[in-house]
Amino acid sequence: MPRTRTGTAWAAISAGTLISIALIIFLVQNTRTTEINFLWMTTSTSLAVALLIAAVGSVLLTLIIGTARITQLRRLVRGRTVKPTRQR
């Protein structure tokens, strides 16, 4: 059976729904308050929120670094195709 856009979208929505349900269960089960110290700052928040913030931060950092690398490689490839090589 061939892969279609609708089938791919359905699979992505299903996976997203399952991940969202697992995340909600995780948040509900980890409501214990924990103290967080960073440099001179101190705060108290639930364990689930602290872990969620750390996960989102790591995902954003990965996306930024990955985007920078992809941009760097695209510029390198464009530079090679635009400049003609000299033949001696």
Side-chain angles (χ1 to χ4, degrees):
M1 181 169 256
R3 183 180 288 189
T4 63
R5 289 184 186 177
T6 306
T8 303
W10 182 85
I13 290 172
S14 298
T17 302
L18 290 174
I19 290 171
S20 296
I21 290 170
L23 183 62
I24 290 169
I25 292 169
F26 172 78
L27 290 172
V28 169
Q29 289 181 347
N30 291 292
T31 57
R32 185 183 69 214
T33 301
T34 186
E35 185 176 312
I36 299 171
N37 298 312
F38 180 70
L39 297 176
W40 63 88
M41 300 174 282
T42 302
T43 187
S44 293
T45 187
S46 72
L47 180 61
V49 171
L51 291 173
L52 185 62
I53 290 170
V56 169
S58 64
V59 166
L60 289 176
L61 184 63
T62 303
L63 287 174
I64 290 168
I65 292 172
T67 301
R69 180 64 178 151
I70 289 170
T71 303
Q72 181 184 36
L73 292 173
R74 284 184 179 173
R75 285 183 180 171
L76 181 66
V77 168
R78 285 183 188 155
R80 287 184 181 168
T81 58
V82 173
K83 296 178 185 176
T85 58
R86 290 186 180 181
Q87 294 181 0
R88 295 184 187 191

